[in-house]
Amino acid sequence: MSAASRNVVVIEDDPQIRRFLRTVLPTEGFAVFEAETGERGIVEAATRKPDVVILDLGLPDMDGVTVITRVREWSQVPIVVLSARAQERDKIAALDAGADDYLVKPFGVGELMARLRVALRHSASRKAERGEPAFACGELSVDLAARRVSLAGREVKLTPIEYRLLAALVKHAGMVVTHRQLLREVWGPAYVEHTHTLRVHMASLRRKIEVDAAQPRYLQTELGVGYRLAAE
């Protein structure tokens, strides 16, 4: 997919933000389609078949989380939230509903474009995936098909839980994965409130794959929300 072929639907009621994105995104190869309300945004997402959706949460007719939930009923299009809401509960609600990433306003153009690139790569890998994906970033390599993890060419021995935790993050590399999502995927639905268990195993995993577990290069913490596996 060439950059020039990418369509983005912007669901945002603030005309200044829309004007800004309308100016910036075409310079990065995006064709921009706009919607001022959640209902209109859902229609645009359905008819334009965009490569990515940029969504505000504070819409005049419905909450943005509702938009995410409704779009996720029929589409896995990447959704990047841009919102003035900085509370952890708002981030968690959006990500748990199916958003791929979350940026708090005001935001930098460079960071927005980086997040969009990651979301698009993640979407492309999902579409192209036929078997279990491989992952490489820096000196860390994870081959899910072979169930092999290596660091600087040396195999890393992980416990079954540590491996499942890393594999879950690999499948969403570059994206924020909430505590509840990880607990559900690794331990099961009955454990979604056991965040202490998750932190203990994450600390153990970091000690094995990070040069400095106190300043992680790969396993990044999104405070109060979840974790992100660095993708670049």
Side-chain angles (χ1 to χ4, degrees):
M1 181 189 300
S2 66
S5 69
R6 291 171 176 164
N7 293 337
V8 56
V9 168
V10 175
I11 308 174
E12 167 67 70
D13 66 326
D14 185 332
Q16 291 184 330
I17 297 290
R18 289 203 314 277
R19 189 180 309 115
F20 174 73
L21 294 175
R22 192 189 311 135
T23 301
V24 170
L25 291 172
T27 67
E28 299 291 337
F30 289 93
V32 181
F33 302 94
E34 302 174 29
E36 298 180 29
T37 66
E39 200 65 55
R40 184 62 200 168
I42 293 168
V43 172
E44 286 290 308
T47 57
R48 301 292 183 182
K49 305 296 183 186
D51 298 288
V52 64
V53 171
I54 295 176
L55 171 68
D56 181 27
L57 295 183
L59 299 169
D61 59 335
M62 67 177 71
D63 192 86
V65 173
T66 302
V67 176
I68 297 169
T69 301
R70 288 180 57 181
V71 170
R72 283 289 174 258
E73 291 174 356
W74 47 268
S75 175
Q76 290 302 309
V77 61
I79 299 174
V80 176
V81 171
L82 293 182
S83 178
R85 301 179 190 173
Q87 296 293 319
E88 290 173 3
R89 64 175 178 272
D90 295 312
K91 296 179 183 179
I92 292 169
L95 292 164
D96 276 341
D100 292 87
D101 216 333
Y102 194 112
L103 275 174
V104 176
K105 300 174 183 176
F107 56 90
V109 174
E111 184 175 12
L112 172 62
M113 298 314 305
R115 299 290 181 91
L116 290 176
R117 287 194 297 270
V118 169
L120 287 164
R121 283 201 303 271
H122 190 239
S123 176
S125 69
R126 281 199 304 253
K127 292 176 182 176
E129 191 175 298
R130 292 294 179 267
E132 294 289 349
F135 169 83
C137 179
E139 296 186 323
L140 177 65
S141 176
V142 182
D143 186 338
L144 297 187
R147 297 180 65 87
R148 185 177 186 275
V149 179
S150 59
L151 191 65
R154 297 187 298 275
E155 187 168 0
V156 179
K157 299 295 184 183
L158 301 179
T159 67
I161 287 290
E162 289 166 353
Y163 177 80
R164 290 204 299 272
L165 183 56
L166 182 58
L169 289 165
V170 164
K171 291 175 182 177
H172 303 280
M175 304 294 180
V176 181
V177 187
T178 67
H179 297 134
R180 290 175 65 89
Q181 287 173 312
L182 284 170
L183 286 162
R184 184 183 300 114
E185 187 165 342
V186 177
W187 282 273
Y191 291 82
V192 293
E193 304 297 336
H194 293 212
T195 53
H196 176 70
T197 298
L198 174 59
R199 290 192 185 99
V200 169
H201 286 280
M202 182 62 74
S204 177
L205 181 57
R206 275 182 171 146
R207 286 193 293 270
K208 293 184 178 181
I209 70 171
E210 299 284 3
V211 173
D212 182 357
Q215 298 187 22
R217 159 72 173 87
Y218 305 109
L219 299 174
Q220 301 168 358
T221 298
E222 297 285 337
L223 286 176
V225 178
Y227 297 96
R228 183 198 303 267
L229 178 63
E232 55 186 29

